[in-house]
Amino acid sequence: MEVENRYIAVRHHVECSPSEDDFEVKSAAVHWTAESGEVLVRNMYVSIDPGQLNRMKRHSASHHSVGPIVPGERIVAHRVGEVLASACPEYEVGDVVAGVLAWEEYTLFRPSPVMCKVDASSGVPLSYHVGVLGMSGTAAYGGFFEVCRPQSGEKVFVSAASGSVGSLVGQFAKLAGCYVVGCAGTQAKVDLLKGKLGFDDAFNYKEELDLKSALNKYFPDGIDIYFENVGGEMLEAALANMNTYGRVAVCGAIAEYTDPAGRRAAPSLLEVVYKRIALRGFLSYDFMAQFHEYNAIIRNWIREGRIQVIEDVSNGLESVPSAFAALFRGENVGKKLVKLS
């Protein structure tokens, strides 16, 4: 079997905010044979994640763990797709699979721990397996419950709280009995946090001239847990308002992704030392051994109506570059993904 496969490639290394012009749609034939040991998948949904930008840079710390994205080549990402042909007994034609595929219409893969079958008859939207039941949910659950170790009654601050991970963390914190405040970049997002997602409070960070004072206003008794998605001045302000033995889970630092020559966070190490603050970075892959356990818990919360899932869906392979660039303009709400077919 042979299919013509269109895929998205980056034209060159991207050091600042990405634009649609940094990408191109390319095409190449994909060959599958019954002797190949491979599975051919028609992709249905693709994940759009800001961390991909770090892999597009000429030099980045991300290259040490997940590797760089090479200009002109396929861009690996998380996807959901349908099996069209299989030379592996584990997969049959018609199976739906989720895992690490690429920004493309068709993918060949061999069985591996990063791929799994999805029960398409479960009643859960297939798109959820790209986000809340995929790496976003894993990062949110593992980062909050394993890294932060919350206790009922603790005070939690979540930055970029309307994004794919932050929107889940705030809801998890409420389920854990915590007081939760989030920040976002528009009033509409603030209203979403306080309304549909059930945060105790929220604020628009763009309207605050002094982030340290703003956080002191929302946390007069201090912050016990900070779930970090932004970096820069937000991290400095949060640390200044942390309580003794506070915990910081560093999931991302999007403020530092697009300005290589800009100001970096300079958190006071005296705050960290004298308050005995634990600050830990992590990747969703750190929790792969618990992936199915976390998924079962989150799936039950969704079924029981205890978790609201927010998705921001674009359509068609050609929309991938604009969807990706929009992340860095703060235009997405919830999980950003592209529906291919």
Side-chain angles (χ1 to χ4, degrees):
M1 178 184 294
E2 179 178 302
V3 295
E4 191 67 17
N5 181 39
R6 297 190 307 154
Y7 62 95
I8 301 295
V10 64
R11 297 178 187 272
H12 46 72
H13 294 290
V14 182
E15 304 297 341
C16 299
S17 294
S19 72
E20 290 87 339
D21 293 337
D22 293 323
F23 301 90
E24 61 182 331
V25 179
K26 302 182 74 173
S27 182
V30 172
H31 305 274
W32 174 89
T33 67
E35 298 78 31
S36 65
E38 295 177 315
V39 180
L40 175 64
V41 174
R42 175 178 60 85
N43 295 313
M44 303 164 71
Y45 291 96
V46 57
S47 178
I48 307 294
D49 302 291
Q52 292 283 69
L53 181 62
N54 294 319
R55 300 183 59 214
M56 296 174 188
K57 298 179 185 296
R58 191 175 301 277
H59 302 289
S60 170
S62 68
H63 298 177
H64 300 300
S65 57
V66 291
I69 291 173
V70 178
E73 296 188 0
R74 300 159 62 251
I75 297 175
V76 173
H78 293 275
R79 286 194 176 218
V80 171
E82 179 185 13
V83 174
L84 294 184
S86 176
C88 302
E90 300 97 316
Y91 297 94
E92 298 180 356
V93 173
D95 282 347
V96 177
V97 297
V100 179
L101 299 171
W103 284 355
E104 61 187 354
E105 294 178 322
Y106 298 92
T107 298
L108 283 173
F109 75 89
R110 294 177 182 274
S112 75
V114 299
M115 295 298 301
C116 64
K117 287 196 286 189
V118 168
D119 182 4
S121 65
S122 67
V124 175
L126 293 180
S127 58
Y128 283 16
H129 295 280
V130 176
V132 63
L133 298 179
M135 290 299 99
S136 295
T138 300
Y141 192 98
F144 185 65
F145 287 105
E146 298 297 332
V147 176
C148 297
R149 300 284 180 177
Q151 299 295 317
S152 181
E154 288 192 309
K155 296 169 286 294
V156 178
F157 174 48
V158 184
S159 58
S162 65
S164 61
V165 176
S167 61
L168 295 173
V169 170
Q171 295 181 80
F172 293 167
K174 290 304 300 176
L175 291 175
C178 298
Y179 173 81
V180 188
V181 176
C183 71
T186 69
Q187 187 58 45
K189 292 179 179 179
V190 168
D191 293 342
L192 174 72
L193 296 177
K194 294 195 292 184
K196 185 172 184 177
L197 300 187
F199 282 58
D200 293 291
D201 215 332
F203 65 93
N204 183 346
Y205 69 90
K206 293 181 180 178
E207 296 180 349
E208 302 292 344
L209 299 178
D210 185 335
L211 288 174
K212 291 182 182 179
S213 296
L215 287 177
N216 180 257
K217 177 176 66 177
Y218 287 98
F219 294 97
D221 297 321
I223 299 168
D224 298 305
I225 292 172
Y226 173 37
F227 199 95
E228 166 70 298
N229 292 301
V230 173
E233 294 182 5
M234 192 69 74
L235 175 59
E236 295 179 10
L239 289 178
N241 284 276
M242 295 289 290
N243 287 329
T244 303
Y245 298 112
R247 288 89 74 204
V248 180
V250 185
C251 182
I254 195 169
E256 301 184 14
Y257 293 175
T258 58
D259 187 8
R263 181 174 178 269
R264 290 288 182 260
S268 170
L269 292 182
L270 291 181
E271 297 275 4
V272 175
V273 171
Y274 285 103
K275 293 180 179 177
R276 281 84 96 196
I277 295 171
L279 189 151
R280 175 182 158 189
F282 68 93
L283 299 173
S284 57
Y285 295 105
D286 296 343
F287 308 111
M288 286 307 297
Q290 294 85 28
F291 177 79
H292 295 293
E293 174 190 345
Y294 295 173
N295 248 2
I297 295 171
I298 297 171
R299 187 189 299 270
N300 283 336
W301 284 343
I302 294 171
R303 186 179 296 113
E304 295 166 359
R306 304 175 75 187
I307 291 293
Q308 301 298 315
V309 179
I310 308 297
E311 294 183 317
D312 190 336
V313 184
S314 298
N315 290 289
L317 183 74
E318 294 84 355
S319 71
V320 168
S322 61
F324 184 68
L327 287 177
F328 301 91
R329 298 191 294 265
E331 296 176 3
N332 68 297
V333 180
K335 176 61 187 177
K336 186 64 189 178
L337 63 150
V338 171
K339 182 179 181 180
L340 297 186
S341 57

